[in-house]
């Protein structure tokens, strides 16, 4: 069996302190040959005692990253030499033989000329940046989502010291990435001031690649959505000739799972609107905003963009008209919803307040709006217990509907109650801004006992 020993040359590069690694191959008593590896490393990363590149630094600088990459190259070279040695006649093994093996491996183009000069191979994250540049059709929100994954992957590298490479990305690596996302919140602790900060051994990770949000447990749906972005990147790289490796052929991401959409009935909605909240004017104002959203079905982001010029009157009545911001750069479609008497009364209530402004409703910050909706539900006695799917554990929990009430519940209320009456997903989707065949919209199709009874009567 061939054994290898490494040492550093006394000569180094002219532009740095790096020195070349020299390789000795020994086999039995008769074979002992030497060659230059063509690989250079800073002496501070080489251990003469261990005859190898040794990297002990916990601070993940560019220099440390390069040293790790150099060690990977050197290990791959030695494995290649060992394979060539195994397949060669032992009487041909000389220092010249080993040097030629190394040089053929290092500069294959000198020995096997190609028709066209190959482009310098880009690193994993250089390719990811190229990938994002190529996807010019991404909305700013979607692009930000892709950047979130990029930062997660960079922190994964720092945490595991596992260097990502498209050619070596494996199903096991993908699973390690999923596990890292699931457990990243455990890398933090609460300090004496009550702040959430990285644990000492992980500070360098978050100094280099900060996490903009406070860490919290991630559910399977979130992890699956991030892995789908990674799969999109891998498939893009394959299509564009950057790699032939597709680890997702043997790794199943699975589908997101969602619980039954929770929304209030038309009767509960009317009860909220009829409740006297005049003693708490702020709650009364936000109650009106919530009811208006229940009657129009727009997302909160679109609700906050509505202005007087969003309202038009024709022979059929008064309606709001807008292009959903979520799909404005994908498949923009105009959503048009006629306002009933209650919605018109709410607008009329605040007409004087905004007579000299383009606004139509007394809006507060979206976070405060969501918090206030919960207060409104409690004040109006809407507190029935509902089953809720915990996105982290995947288990069903039972909570008061007031505890989970939010602006999005107004949208679900619009869609759910309208679907019960109309039973036409395409028509309801046109009013809510969902695309035809939308998987998200499909979750709103609640077949309740009344609908089952109606369908049974058709038999």
């Amino acid at each position: 069996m061939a054994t290898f020993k490494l040492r550093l040359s006394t000569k180094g590069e002219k532009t740095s302190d790096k020195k070349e690694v020299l390789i000795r191959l020994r086999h039995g008593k008769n074979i002992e040959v030497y060659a230059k590896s063509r690989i250079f490393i800073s002496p501070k990363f080489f251990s003469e005692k261990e005859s190898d590149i040794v990297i002990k630094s916990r601070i993940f600088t560019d220099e440390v990253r390069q040293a790790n990459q150099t060690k990977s190259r050197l290990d791959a070279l030695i494995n290649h030499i060992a394979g060539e040695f195994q397949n060669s006649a032992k009487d041909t093994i000389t220092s010249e033989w080993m040097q030629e093996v190394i040089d053929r491996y290092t500069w294959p183009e000198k020995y096997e000329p190609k028709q066209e000069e190959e482009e310098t191979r880009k690193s994993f994250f250089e390719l990811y940046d190229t990938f994002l540049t190529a996807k010019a059709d991404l909305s700013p929100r979607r692009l930000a989502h892709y950047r979130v994954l990029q930062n997660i992957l960079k922190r994964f590298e720092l945490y595991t010291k596992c260097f990502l490479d498209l050619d070596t990305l494996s199903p096991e690596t993908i699973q390690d990435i999923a596990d890292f996302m699931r457990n990243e919140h455990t890398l933090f602790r609460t300090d004496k001031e009550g702040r959430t900060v990285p644990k000492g051994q992980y500070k360098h990770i978050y100094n280099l690649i900060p996490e903009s949000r406070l860490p919290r447990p991630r559910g399977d749906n979130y992890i699956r959505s991030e892995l789908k972005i990674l799969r999109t990147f891998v498939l893009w790289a394959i299509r564009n000739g950057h790699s032939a490796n597709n680890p997702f052929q043997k790794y199943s991401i699975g589908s997101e799972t969602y619980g039954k959409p929770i929304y209030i009935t038309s009767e509960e909605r009317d009860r909220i609107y009829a409740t006297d909240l005049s003693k708490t004017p702020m709650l009364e104002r936000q109650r009106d905003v919530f009811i208006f959203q229940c009657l129009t079905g727009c997302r909160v982001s679109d609700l906050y963009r509505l202005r007087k010029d969003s309202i038009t009157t024709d022979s059929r009545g008064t309606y709001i008209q807008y292009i959903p911001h979520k799909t404005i750069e994908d498949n923009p479609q105009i959503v048009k919803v006629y306002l009933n008497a209650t919605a018109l009364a709410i607008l009329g209530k605040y007409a004087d307040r905004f007579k000299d402004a383009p606004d139509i409703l007394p809006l507060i910050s979206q976070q405060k709006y969501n918090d206030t909706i919960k207060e409104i539900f409690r004040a109006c006695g809407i507190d029935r217990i509902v089953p809720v799917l915990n996105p982290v554990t995947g288990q069903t929990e039972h909570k008061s509907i007031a505890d989970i009430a939010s602006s999005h519940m107004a949208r679900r209320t619009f869609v759910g109650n309208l679907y019960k009456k109309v039973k036409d997903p395409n028509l309801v989707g046109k009013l809510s801004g969902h695309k035809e065949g939308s998987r998200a919209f499909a979750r709103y199709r609640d077949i309740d006992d009344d609908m089952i009874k109606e369908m049974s009567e058709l038999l």
Side-chain angles (χ1 to χ4, degrees), residues 147-160:
R147 289 291 186 193
V148 166
L149 173 64
Q150 185 177 34
N151 287 337
I152 288 173
L153 295 176
K154 287 182 177 180
R155 292 197 298 271
F156 169 78
E157 270 200 352
L158 294 169
Y159 175 73
T160 62

Side-chain angles (χ1 to χ4, degrees), residues 38-39 68-78 105:
R38 312 303 190 190
I39 292 175
N68 274 286
Q69 291 173 338
T70 300
K71 178 170 173 53
S72 296
R73 287 172 49 215
L74 185 60
D75 290 343
L77 173 61
I78 291 174
Y105 179 83

Side-chain angles (χ1 to χ4, degrees), residues 248-294:
F248 287 97
Q249 288 181 333
K250 296 182 179 180
Y251 185 92
S252 175
I253 295 176
S255 301
E256 290 93 334
T257 56
Y258 296 92
K260 175 182 174 181
I262 306 296
Y263 55 89
I264 55 175
T265 65
S266 297
E267 292 73 22
E268 288 172 321
R269 179 200 64 205
D270 294 343
R271 179 177 162 189
I272 291 174
Y273 185 58
T275 300
D276 183 6
L277 297 176
S278 58
K279 292 183 179 180
T280 50
M282 192 273 284
L283 290 187
E284 182 180 20
R285 290 192 295 271
Q286 297 314 302
R287 183 272 310 277
D288 293 343
V289 173
F290 178 77
I291 296 300
F292 185 86
Q293 191 182 1
C294 286

